Amino acid sequence: MKPTTRAIRIHAHGGPDALQWDTLELAPPGPGEVLIRHEAIGLNYIDTYHRSGLYPVALPSALGTEGAGRIVAVGAGVQGFAIGDRVAYGGTGPLGAYAEQRLFPAACLVRLPDDIDMRTAAAMMLQGMTAEYLLRRLYPVQRGQTVLLHAAAGGVGLIATQWLKHLGATVIGTVGSEEKAQLARAHGCDHVIHYRDEDVAARVRELTGGHGVPVVYDGVGRDTFAASLDSLAPRGMLVSFGNASGAVEPVSPGLLASKGSLFLTRPRLVDYIATPAELAACANALFDVVRRGAVRIAIGQTYALRDAAQAHRDLEARRTHGSTVLLP
């Protein structure tokens, strides 16, 4: 009898109810692969895009892009990893983190330092590496700059806020509730804007003496896009890295010209960790700020893996804060 594992999969695109708790056969690792027994799994907004069909996937499909665990078997040709190693991944490799065990390409793994626990790793790999490339490589934030960060109390937001403060920036963050405002302030946010009750762009102009900010990090999408553009200084950059409120409507390049020769980019983490060297450098930069205490990882809530549907409902209803971890 072949070994099996339990996993969350979808057989049709749809809402959280599309998530099914399946039993799958486990094959031995192929060349370049390892078998991982997960101890913690990260929940990310991109998981809802795969589930809903906003980012279509071939069906039936596993879900999940982030996890941490131990290697329990190693395929041919794998170098640098052995049975028993503590490993983590996020943002690279095939979907399928929502599983008790899974096969995974060794080239997409990083070894987890002994002083970072599994839940912390699962809570930070994708979100933390996203913060790293956004702040340090896509638009390298300089000491003394003021930036606008949407969803400052979310998983990426709390990490990015702390990292921005570590870099010497002033952070203007948007939130949707007073509870989230308090959380953002506790993690270093200098100025908090309630986007439901305040004119975001007008408040940003007020806080910057009318100049606007050189960069806006926007993972919210449709609901904040216009305010993001209007918050930028001339020749500023809008980094639209997520669609939590829905996809942004098509934009005329002329709009960017009329608002001050603005730049607009829609990046993906996978393109910034495309080689093993880039992946290792990105992960090591994240591990460094976490181990030094410059960035604290806030796990706001945990769910049993089999309850992933409820986790998706809460995430989409914006009832979560910080990072969310699923436990096999």
Side-chain angles (χ1 to χ4, degrees), residues 96-141:
Y98 286 18
E100 295 170 337
Q101 297 185 72
R102 71 169 303 188
L103 296 173
F104 198 75
C108 298
L109 283 175
V110 295
R111 184 175 284 102
L112 191 61
D114 291 339
D115 53 355
I116 295 179
D117 66 84
M118 295 286 190
R119 293 191 186 190
T120 298
M124 76 177 187
M125 290 301 296
L126 191 147
Q127 294 167 346
M129 290 197 298
T130 295
E132 189 279 331
Y133 91 83
L134 291 176
L135 310 181
R136 298 179 73 242
R137 290 187 285 149
L138 190 156
Y139 183 97
V141 175

